[in-house]
Amino acid sequence: MNVRVLLLAIFWANQALTQGFSGLGTEAEGFAMPDPQHVISFPQDHGAHPDFRIEWWYLTATLEGDDGAQYGVQWTLFRSAMRPGEGEGWQSPQVWMGHAAVTSAEEHHVAERLARGGIGQAGVISTPFETFIDDWQMLATGAGLEDMTVRARGADFAYDLALHATGPIVLQGDRGYSVKSPGGQASHYFSQPFYEVSGVVTLPDGPVAVTGQGWLDREWSSQPLAEDQSGWDWFSLSFDTGARLMGFGLRGAALFTSATWIAPDGTPTPYGDGALQLTPLNHVEIEGREVPTEWRVALPVRGVDVTVEALNPQAWMGVSFPYWEGPISIAGSHTGRGYLEMTGY
Amino acid sequence: MVRVETVSKTYRSGEGPVAVLSDVSLSVGSKETVALTGESGSGKSTLLHLIGGLDLPDKGSITLDGQEITALGDTARATVRRDTVGLVFQQFNLVPSLTVAQNIALQARLAGRFDAALTQRLIDRLGLSGMQQRYPEQLSGGQQQRVAIGRTLANHPKVVLADEPTGNLDEDTGDAVMSLMLDLVAESGAALIMATHSNRLAARFSRRVHLSRGRLEAA
Amino acid sequence: MALLTLLSHWRRHPGQLVTLMLGLALATALWSGVQAINEEARQSYARAAASVTAQSYDRLVTPDGQPVPMADYIALRRAGWLVSPVIGGHVQIGAERWRLLGIDPLTAPQGILPQAAGESLVDPTAFLTGPGQAFVTPGVNIVSDQREMPNFVPVEGIAPGLILTDLSVAARLLDQQDPSFLTILPDQPAGLPALAEVTSLTRQQPSEDRDLSRLTQSFHLNLTAFGFLSFAVGLFIVHSTIGLAFEQRRPVFRTLRALGLPLGRLVGALMVEVTGIALIAGSVGVFLGYFVAAALLPDVAGTLRSLYGADIGGSLAFRPLWAGVGLLIAMLGAWLSAAQAVWKVARMPLLAPAQPRAWAMASAKGRRWQVAGALALFGTSGVAGATGGSLIAGFLCLGALLLGAALMLPPVVSLILAGLSRMVRGALPEWILADTRQQLPGLSLALMALLLALSANVGVSTMVGSFRQTFLGWLNQRLVSELYVTAASNGQAEEIRAMLAPMVDATLPIAYAESRIAGAPGRVYGVADHATYREYWPMIVSVPHVWDALAAGQVALINEQLSLREGLSPGDPVRLTNGLTLPVGGVYSDYGNPTGQAMIALSLLRDRFDDVQEQRTAIRIDPERRGAVIATLQDRFDLPDGAVVDQERVKQASIDVFDQTFRVTGALNVLTLAVAGFALLASLMTLATMRLPQVAPLWALGQTRARLAWIELGRSLGLVLITWAVALPVGLALAWVLLAVVNVVAFGWRLPMMLFPLDWVRLLGLAVLSSALAAAYPALGLLRMPPAHLLKVFSNER
């Protein structure tokens, strides 16, 4: 057994293994299930939901350096429970995983941290909001999530950013209940897509002052994927108009898509399966896999028909369970920048 | 001196008991020399072994110098063997680790009647002077047999039993050894019984008896 | 066809075949048994070295060895340092004591969990939660007790005696939440704060002292030497039996040659025969060796644990490579033993007379060669002993001495017999002596084997006896105090001393600090100025008024190991820590401790060292009042079991460890002697059949069989007596080499040699008994032999 195998099993990214190992989704295990009646409320829903199997705090940012170059930054904290609830000290069933990355057109730096719950090495506090694993942290400097600092460090990179929200928190799906398959698999999901970001990214060549936009996703569930679904492609697009578009497609027997149109004032409009059209245009080969790093994204009902292209097609997250995550540029009916995540390739 | 009365001896073999001697009787007086002839396997050696007390008959009695050895125990028979009998074998049977002189003196010394003068005389008579410090394996066959004869006679035996003593020697050497032995035995006054299958040699003895299939016939 | 003719010999001499097979099998068994043990140990060390326990990573520990507070761990992680917690300890499950290692797979260095365990074995939920999973070496059976045990999963590659599990399981079983230590991962992020700014924990380098294979080298070399000795003794049997069988078949060889069999074919057939026999006997030997090893392994494991803290499993794995090597060794041994005989056959003139006794006649020339060889070996031994500072040189010295003595034995015995034969009078004694000399070449190999075994026995038992005596004397000197108390902390120890001071004669703190003495890790102890030390401390050499100088902080005492290793004598400066170098005031003996040690004044230790450990206190008290003091201590302080021990218990524990250490040596010693006894039996039995022509004439000349049988028995005993007498000085020389050369290199201490004449007498008794048994059988055969059998010697038709 090595750590990698262990982690593959613990986290849900590799669906086949996950379902093979513990029959994900069986309620007999005692995990809480996403509830369409649940009303998302703050600050408690900023914190962890240990009765759910999986949860994340996911920040991505598209940045521009004072050197004129484009950068992308990712900061993620995953929580996975091996059984529901908390435990004393080492007996805690909660496992935490942090991913951090900095991407430029030429470089892609990744780091990963793991921790068990119960001992204070990693965790989330809802008020005042703080998430941390080791010396990585994302914490509020004021009330709610409006002002935050984020930092992380890997063997060959580091960043330290300040965030300021210019819009409200947006509930995804049906008031935060986000359906993932025709069979009804769902999660609780909300975002803060309106961060202004400034700070310093340190690369092997030295520190770079950066500014840009950030997007925080919060999601928790116990039954994320349907049995036939092998992975997803997730887009967060920030248009130059000030509007935002969140969209994803879950690849199963049939493609299942979902999208939320977010007006510049933060008013969300959810769109169910089929409204969003996703077409891969160009593939690159990464570690023996064919990964589509150029897409056509269309939401005809909103007049959106754009082509997105990776800033760095090699933005591969070679961590315990590998996936693709990187900044993209948008052209077509709308322009702007965004982030793309692709799993299951 | 030697009286053998109705002695029988049977050996066990793979094909059942084999009668080696049946009802053999023989009487040998002092100073008498007897040639015991017969084919190979006729029982000559067995008879000599019985007379020498090396083995016991199944039936009958043997008396040596007035002592009925067939009635004696192992230890007493060994004593009779040591004090009364002299044995000369075809294979010489010298003690390889002892010198010629030591071999000749061995039995007399074991019997506690070592006579240095007699021993020296015998060595001279046997033509072994100058070889006293040699070891048996350094001697020729004839020389070895002369040592064996010396060993026997140095002990003043009353009876000398010789089992084809020249059988391993060529004819000339055998004749020489035989003459020497007969002379020396005659000088010592001992009786001599010798097994041989040579009629030529037998002619030189005072009496001759013939063994055939375990039965004794006067020749 | 030639081969069949040759082999027919064995059908007619089954006893000879059995002897040959048994000799070769025994030789192979002891040799391969020892090899199996060594191999098992090597594998264990390799496994241990490959696992976390090897300290291949730096560690963070508390200066006092207490668990690392969880807050310290979290502080390090929150500062960005990649450190991983480990909870380790020992746990008693049923009758077995296990080393338990709880790791955190989420933060541990990659590859810490055994790779062999495939995905199918792993249930991460089961590993990290609930009762948990634990990996153990395959083949062990853990009987769980009432505690909540993890599920034990056998996995190749786990060190024997180790339970590798998740931290949460270890925490539960050991009832310890805080990590025992932290592993520092080799690759750390850029730009971290300095370790010292983040934590007060001590960084520990992977210690070279834990290099088990180096530490235990002397022990394994020792085993190998014994295995080799046994093998050599066994080969003596093989050599003499093969020699006899070849000699008896000389007429057959001659006939075969006369019938037109080419010499090459004959030699080839003989080689095939020897090889076949070696294969069969070698297989039996390897089989037996496996059992020898399995039987000895628990003792060996005990020894290694008590001497070096090395854990090897109590169970033995069967390794095909090992078995193959064992077979090969058997084959080589058989060829070596047969070489001389085959050479003789090859050179045999076609018409040479068949002389079944000729092989026994060693020429004077051969004897001169033996003496020359022996002298050369003695020279080698002397040179190796005088110049060598290494274990190999020590054992070369031993081996050459033993082999030389063995070669020297036949000439010496022959000389003694010659001397005796000039002294005795009487035909029978003369014959006995002459005949014994005659018999000597046939017996000399067996006697040489016996000499080897006896010498080794005398040598090893003298060494162990001297060691034990010295060790006991030293224990008595060093453990003078009546009670030893271990407190939970320095502070508590202080309280205990304060409380006891009015009640007892003296309270002597046992204070030390870990340091690097003369550059290598070691402990520096501080001693109070007290008569206890002045009177009893086991000094080897010292300057005048050493205790006054010590109390004044002017000198340091060092242990013998350090003195020998660094070549330090009184007056030489020794560096005790940064900025503290003192002249050596004296050297004391310190058995059983593999590392260097120094003693300075207590006040000096407290002034100049950080992290002085003072939890232990020695208490001088009227033995009668011990009970009261123990009761008071337990009343006032919450001391765990074992925190207060009295002198007897410490001594007994030490002696137990000592005896355990040499148990295997003892067992091998007995086995070697047994093989030598068998060699003697084999030789006497084969000789007995050839003795008939020598003995029968005496019988015919009027000696009784009983008397001749007694003579045969007495002759064998006489030879054994002479061998024993020669073995004594050789054994003592051996002991001296072991004590003065091998021990110094292997352990770092020199021991005085003591003599144990009672042991020699016992050994003589044993040797006489075994050889009487060996000689009794042929003698009894002679006694019971029917005259007809003896008469065959005289029969003309033979």
Side-chain angles (χ1 to χ4, degrees), chain A residues 216-269:
Chain A
L216 174 72
D217 266 358
R218 283 281 289 112
E219 194 161 12
W220 64 97
S221 179
S222 294
Q223 29 135 233
L225 296 185
E227 207 164 300
D228 64 328
Q229 291 175 334
S230 63
W232 67 80
D233 307 294
W234 173 90
F235 300 82
S236 62
L237 308 180
S238 299
F239 298 127
D240 293 338
T241 59
R244 306 284 192 264
L245 173 62
M246 188 287 296
F248 59 83
L250 284 148
R251 303 191 301 278
L255 183 68
F256 181 91
T257 63
S258 174
T260 302
W261 177 264
I262 304 166
D265 66 353
T267 308
T269 312

Side-chain angles (χ1 to χ4, degrees), chain C residues 199-285:
Chain C
T199 188
S200 60
L201 296 172
T202 313
R203 184 176 189 143
Q204 216 175 52
Q205 310 278 332
S207 164
E208 283 171 33
D209 291 329
R210 298 284 305 166
D211 182 355
L212 292 176
S213 45
R214 190 183 61 80
L215 258 183
T216 52
Q217 185 200 12
S218 62
F219 179 79
H220 290 294
L221 202 55
N222 210 329
L223 278 186
T224 306
F226 253 112
F228 189 74
L229 185 65
S230 307
F231 188 66
V233 166
L235 282 195
F236 279 119
I237 305 176
V238 178
H239 181 89
S240 63
T241 319
I242 289 185
L244 174 68
F246 273 52
E247 206 55 45
Q248 284 179 341
R249 286 187 294 178
R250 279 179 80 128
V252 181
F253 300 157
R254 211 182 51 219
T255 308
L256 284 173
R257 292 287 319 278
L259 291 176
L261 184 73
L263 181 64
R265 287 268 305 278
L266 176 62
V267 170
L270 285 172
M271 293 302 287
V272 169
E273 177 194 73
V274 168
T275 306
I277 289 174
L279 269 179
I280 298 170
S283 306
V284 175

Side-chain angles (χ1 to χ4, degrees), chain B residues 54 78 81 90 93 95-96 109, chain C residues 426 430-431 694 699-700 702 794 796:
Chain B
L54 295 172
R81 211 156 60 224
Q90 180 181 2
N93 287 302
V95 177
R109 290 177 65 191
Chain C
E430 271 174 32
W431 172 73
Q694 330 279 322
W699 171 71
F794 308 119
N796 296 341

Side-chain angles (χ1 to χ4, degrees), chain A residues 3 8 14 30 98 104 120 123 139 148 150 191 197 202 214 229 233 236 254 273 285 296 305 308 319 331:
Chain A
V3 174
L8 275 175
N14 185 322
S104 70
L139 49 90
M148 302 216 288
V150 178
S191 306
V197 181
T202 307
Q229 291 175 334
D233 307 294
S236 62
D273 186 20
E285 193 180 314
R296 179 170 169 232
D305 188 349
V308 302
V319 288

